[in-house]
Amino acid sequence: MSTFVIVGASVAGGLAAETLRKEGFDGRVVLVGAEPVRPYERPPLSKEYQWGTRSEESVFLKPPGFYEEQGIELLTGRDAVSLDTRSRRVSLADGSRIGYDRLLIATGASPRRLAVPGADLEGVLYLRTLEDARALRERISGSSRVVVVGAGFIGAEVAASCRRAGLEVVMLEVLPVPLQRALGPRVGQVYADMHRAHGVDLRTGEGVAELRGHGRVERVVTTSGHVFDCDFVVVGIGVAPETRWLEGSGVEVHNGVVVDELCRASAPDVYAAGDVASWWHPGFGERLRVEHFDNAQSQGVAAARSMLDKEIPYAPVPFFWSDQYEVSLQYVGHASGEDPVVFRGDPGSGSWSAFYLRDGWLRAALGVNRFRDVSAARRLIAAHVSVEPEKLADEGFDLKTLAREVARSR
Ligand SMILES: Cc1cc2nc3c(=O)[nH]c(=O)nc-3n(C[C@H](O)[C@H](O)[C@H](O)COP(=O)(O)OP(=O)(O)OC[C@H]3O[C@@H](n4cnc5c(N)ncnc54)[C@H](O)[C@@H]3O)c2cc1C
C-alpha cells in the first residue's frame, strides 16, 4: 500500500488530503500539522471572527470526525523538523519518522517578526493562527488604544476591525500608502483616505524604532521620533514561506519551494502547494508565489491530482478578496504595485474598479462592488489579451461582451 504524506494541515494540505480520497486513492494518507487543531480558514480571523459575527467552530474546513471517516491520519500538534529525500522519510520533533511514497509540502508561511528593542514585550501580537486570533479578540475587548505596525492586508484589516470595536488606532507604514506593494500607489491612496475617514491615525513613511514598557508594551517610538501610547501592538509586516525544516534536504528553495506547473518539486515524488510554493505559471510566463486563500485551496487540489498522475497544468487566474469597513474588494490576476493602473468609475464612490496593465496586456483587475467588471476581467486575463486603456476606463464600454467574444474566438 502506498503512503502519501502531507506536511502542513491547513487549507492546501487539508484540501489535498480530501482530494486524494475523492479521486479514489485508497492508500495511506497522513496529514501532519504543527497546530493543535484540524484545518481551518484564516480569512475570518482578521474580520468576522473579530467582529463577533463568526464563531470559532465555523472556521473549520470540516466537521470533527471527517478526517477519521475518510481514513486520513491527522496528526495535530506535530512539527516536521527535517526531510530525507533519499530514504523518503519525514522526521518529526518528537523523534518519530514517517516514510512516504509521495510527499506534499504545504507548510504555508509564517509572520515576519519585528526586530527592534522591546519587540519581545508582552502585548506585542501577530496574527496568523486561531490562537493568535483568540488573543487579539481578548485584547480588543479589554483595551482602548492600539498601534498597528504595517498597513498590508493583515494590518489594514486589523485596523478596520479595531475601529469597528471603538478603539483608537494608530497605523504605521514605512511606504507612502497602505497596500502599496500589492495594489500600487494610486489604489493605496484610496485606502489611505478610507482609513483616515474612519478615524485611523495613519502615519506613512514611518517605521518602528523601539517598543517601550515595563514588562508589557506601553508605547511605540517611531523612526522619526514620535511616541504613541498604547495598550497593545499588532504587527503585520508580511510573511515568509515556511521552509526552515527543509534545510539540507536538497529540495530547491528560492522564495518558497520551487515547483513546476504540476506542483512537482526538485526531488522525486515531492510536491508543494499553497503559500509555500513558488510555481511556474505557463500563462503569465513567470514564477508566482501567491499568499491567498483561493490559491491554497485550488493548488492543494491540483497537487493531489498530480500526485495521482492526473497531470493537469496548474495555471489559474489567481483571486483574492479583502474586507475593510463596509468595503469589500475582489482582485483577479497577478500584477505588481508598480504596474500602470487604469480606473473605471470614481474611486471615491462605493463602486469602482481598477485594471493593471503590463506591456499593454491586462494582468490584473480589482473591483469594489463591481462583480461584473471583475468577472469580465478574469476572462480577459485568462485569454491573455491586450485591451486599450481608454476602453477599460470608459463606463460605457461593455467589458462583458468583449470577454464573451474573446472567449468565443478561442
Ligand atoms: C488573518 C488572516 C486573514 C487572511 N485573509 C485573507 C483574505 O481575506 N483573502 C485571502 O485570499 N487570503 C487571506 N489570507 C491568506 C490565506 O489564509 C492563506 O493564503 C492560506 O491560509 C494559505 O494556506 P496554506 O495551507 O498554504 O498555508 P497556511 O495556512 O500557512 O498553513 C500552513 C500550515 O502548516 C503548518 N506547518 C508549518 N510548518 C510546519 C512543520 N514544519 N511541520 C508541520 N506543520 C507545519 C502551520 O502550522 C500551518 O497550520 C489571510 C491570512 C490570515 C493570516
Side-chain angles (χ1 to χ4, degrees):
M1 184 164 72
S2 290
T3 299
F4 283 10
V5 173
I6 300 168
V7 181
S10 177
V11 183
L15 260 292
E18 207 183 311
T19 305
L20 288 174
R21 288 294 181 236
K22 264 193 203 145
E23 297 277 337
F25 178 66
D26 60 1
R28 204 176 155 213
V29 178
V30 186
L31 178 57
V32 185
E35 293 184 67
V37 290
R38 66 188 190 277
Y40 59 89
E41 296 173 26
R42 299 185 200 281
L45 303 185
S46 50
K47 317 177 194 52
E48 299 94 326
Y49 178 76
Q50 298 302 334
W51 311 337
T53 55
R54 269 189 77 173
S55 68
E56 189 163 313
E57 203 43 44
S58 77
V59 305
F60 291 100
L61 295 184
K62 293 290 168 190
F66 170 83
Y67 299 95
E68 205 180 345
E69 279 158 26
Q70 293 288 312
I72 296 165
E73 296 170 44
L74 173 62
L75 308 182
T76 54
R78 308 279 284 278
D79 267 273
V81 290
S82 67
L83 167 64
D84 185 336
T85 53
R86 282 212 200 111
S87 64
R88 294 176 175 249
R89 278 194 189 136
V90 173
S91 298
L92 305 186
D94 61 10
S96 60
R97 286 194 285 182
I98 311 172
Y100 65 82
D101 293 290
R102 288 198 165 161
L103 169 73
L104 176 63
I105 299 166
T107 42
S110 302
R112 290 185 201 281
R113 301 272 146 179
L114 195 62
V116 297
D120 54 353
L121 284 166
E122 206 259 319
V124 179
L125 310 186
Y126 293 81
L127 179 57
R128 184 76 190 174
T129 65
L130 185 53
E131 205 182 327
D132 296 337
R134 283 186 200 125
L136 176 62
R137 194 153 87 161
E138 220 169 274
R139 292 282 172 168
I140 290 179
S141 70
S143 313
S144 57
R145 287 173 306 187
V146 61
V147 174
V148 176
V149 180
F153 285 108
I154 299 294
E157 289 184 358
V158 166
S161 294
C162 289
R163 283 302 298 143
R164 187 180 163 122
L167 273 68
E168 283 174 32
V169 179
V170 173
M171 180 155 62
L172 307 176
E173 168 57 53
V174 286
L175 294 176
V177 291
L179 303 167
Q180 176 157 325
R181 273 197 198 95
L183 306 182
R186 294 180 63 199
V187 175
Q189 188 57 52
V190 178
Y191 274 82
D193 296 343
M194 181 174 85
H195 278 280
R196 289 192 173 119
H198 282 85
V200 171
D201 183 356
L202 171 66
R203 305 292 178 111
T204 57
E206 188 75 287
V208 176
E210 188 184 349
L211 304 180
R212 289 191 192 146
H214 297 92
R216 65 174 190 82
V217 68
E218 290 164 17
R219 54 195 57 91
V220 176
V221 184
T222 71
T223 41
S224 68
H226 287 95
V227 179
F228 295 101
D229 290 341
C230 61
D231 300 319
F232 66 104
V233 168
V234 183
V235 182
I237 53 172
V239 294
E242 192 47 82
T243 55
R244 286 171 295 187
W245 68 286
L246 298 170
E247 270 166 35
S249 69
V251 169
E252 189 185 349
V253 170
H254 182 71
N255 180 31
V257 176
V258 174
V259 295
D260 64 10
E261 69 269 28
L262 296 175
C263 308
R264 294 177 302 200
S266 61
D269 297 313
V270 178
Y271 301 74
D275 281 16
V276 77
S278 160
W279 91 100
W280 177 256
H281 191 302
F284 284 99
E286 65 177 288
R287 237 168 223 297
L288 305 187
R289 192 176 65 76
V290 172
E291 293 168 356
H292 296 295
F293 184 82
D294 186 63
N295 179 65
Q297 244 184 341
S298 45
Q299 203 172 21
V301 172
R305 290 191 178 136
S306 215
M307 290 167 89
L308 295 170
D309 298 321
K310 297 178 181 177
E311 300 186 339
I312 306 159
Y314 182 63
V317 176
F319 163 79
F320 71 84
W321 76 99
S322 174
D323 299 330
Q324 295 167 45
Y325 310 104
E326 65 290 349
V327 173
S328 188
L329 167 141
Q330 295 175 312
Y331 181 108
V332 286
H334 186 83
S336 137
E338 287 161 19
D339 289 322
V341 66
V342 175
F343 284 99
R344 186 179 180 93
D346 173 8
S349 73
S351 166
W352 54 280
S353 44
F355 300 88
Y356 295 82
L357 302 158
R358 193 181 297 171
D359 304 327
W361 301 106
L362 181 60
R363 293 276 307 202
L366 65 81
V368 167
N369 296 328
R370 283 286 179 121
F371 181 70
R372 61 176 193 280
D373 289 355
V374 173
S375 143
R378 185 192 277 248
R379 289 206 226 165
L380 293 169
I381 295 163
H384 195 56
V385 292
S386 72
V387 188
E388 290 97 327
E390 299 73 30
K391 287 183 178 163
L392 293 170
D394 178 2
E395 295 262 33
F397 182 79
D398 186 357
L399 281 177
K400 195 171 157 191
T401 305
L402 175 67
R404 256 201 227 125
E405 280 166 7
V406 166
R408 222 178 284 135
S409 68
R410 290 185 177 240

